[in-house]
Amino acid sequence: MRIDLTRHEFFLCEYIGSIRRKNAMQHNTDRQISNQDPFQQDIDGFIGEYIVAKHFNLMPDFSVNPKKNPIDLISRTGKSLDVKTTRNKDGKVYVTSYHKNNPCDFYILVVIDDKGGDIVGWIDQETLFSIAKTITQKDKSGKDHTSYVIEQSQLSKIKDY
């Protein structure tokens, strides 16, 4: 499901993502594993959230304060959604071990580019944690972090949601 954004929507996403990163740096320990620039990672994350919100006609969460839970959006049926965003066309869903104790109802993967993004698919929490491959990666400080990984082929298409 392809969703393109206007330049004004991109500007808004860049603004919200940048402010979120600035606030997170003041209040949280950075556990980033990716080599991507942290500001760009937060911008890309909000682009993915915005794309999903736009597709489902939901209000994006414009709050910039550090989050205490992994919920990005609430569906019209009251289900919690966590949007996972990547620029890698073959990207996977990576869910940290924090989500095992604080899961969302659904996880949605969005592959973005400079024009918008493709909503690749979704998976519910029960299925994710029952079929995901578990991997351990080191963050930039050398600390181990466990993640649950799902391939794109394991996701349900968004039209099935």
Side-chain angles (χ1 to χ4, degrees), residues 2-14 47 50-51 54 113-117:
R2 178 75 192 176
I3 305 292
D4 287 323
L5 302 180
T6 67
R7 65 185 176 99
H8 298 100
E9 289 171 314
F10 270 113
F11 175 79
L12 177 65
C13 291
E14 288 174 9
I47 290 170
Y50 189 89
I51 286 170
K54 184 173 180 175
D113 55 39
D114 292 336
K115 294 184 180 184

Side-chain angles (χ1 to χ4, degrees), residues 6-35:
T6 67
R7 65 185 176 99
H8 298 100
E9 289 171 314
F10 270 113
F11 175 79
L12 177 65
C13 291
E14 288 174 9
Y15 178 76
I16 297 294
S18 294
I19 299 296
R20 282 185 176 178
R21 171 49 58 173
K22 278 182 116 173
N23 285 342
M25 287 171 35
Q26 295 173 8
H27 302 289
N28 297 322
T29 302
D30 192 2
R31 298 177 307 224
Q32 181 175 332
I33 295 168
S34 169
N35 290 326

Side-chain angles (χ1 to χ4, degrees), residues 16-72:
I16 297 294
S18 294
I19 299 296
R20 282 185 176 178
R21 171 49 58 173
K22 278 182 116 173
N23 285 342
M25 287 171 35
Q26 295 173 8
H27 302 289
N28 297 322
T29 302
D30 192 2
R31 298 177 307 224
Q32 181 175 332
I33 295 168
S34 169
N35 290 326
Q36 184 181 23
D37 174 77
F39 275 92
Q40 191 62 53
Q41 188 171 24
D42 281 359
I43 291 167
D44 286 356
F46 190 73
I47 290 170
E49 291 174 36
Y50 189 89
I51 286 170
V52 171
K54 184 173 180 175
H55 173 69
F56 288 113
N57 198 26
L58 301 172
M59 176 60 78
D61 180 359
F62 290 113
S63 66
V64 293
N65 296 326
K67 292 183 175 185
K68 301 289 185 208
N69 61 52
I71 299 169
D72 291 327

Side-chain angles (χ1 to χ4, degrees), residues 59-158:
M59 176 60 78
D61 180 359
F62 290 113
S63 66
V64 293
N65 296 326
K67 292 183 175 185
K68 301 289 185 208
N69 61 52
I71 299 169
D72 291 327
L73 298 164
I74 301 293
S75 73
R76 294 193 177 280
T77 60
K79 301 293 184 185
S80 59
L81 308 176
D82 185 7
V83 178
K84 299 301 183 183
T85 306
T86 183
R87 287 185 175 267
N88 179 352
K89 290 180 179 168
D90 299 319
K92 303 170 186 169
V93 175
Y94 287 85
V95 178
T96 63
S97 58
Y98 172 81
H99 291 257
K100 185 84 167 167
N101 297 324
N102 302 287
C104 286
D105 295 311
F106 295 98
Y107 296 85
I108 299 175
L109 178 63
V110 180
V111 176
I112 66 167
D113 55 39
D114 292 336
K115 294 184 180 184
D118 291 297
I119 304 173
V120 176
W122 62 273
I123 191 165
D124 65 87
Q125 64 164 306
E126 295 86 10
T127 306
L128 183 144
F129 291 113
S130 68
I131 67 170
K133 181 172 90 173
T134 306
I135 64 167
T136 301
Q137 297 172 297
K138 293 191 182 301
D139 67 16
K140 292 183 179 183
S141 71
K143 186 176 178 185
D144 286 342
H145 293 278
T146 300
S147 294
Y148 300 89
V149 183
I150 296 291
E151 302 283 339
Q152 287 185 18
S153 61
Q154 296 173 289
L155 300 173
S156 297
K157 296 300 176 200
I158 210 68

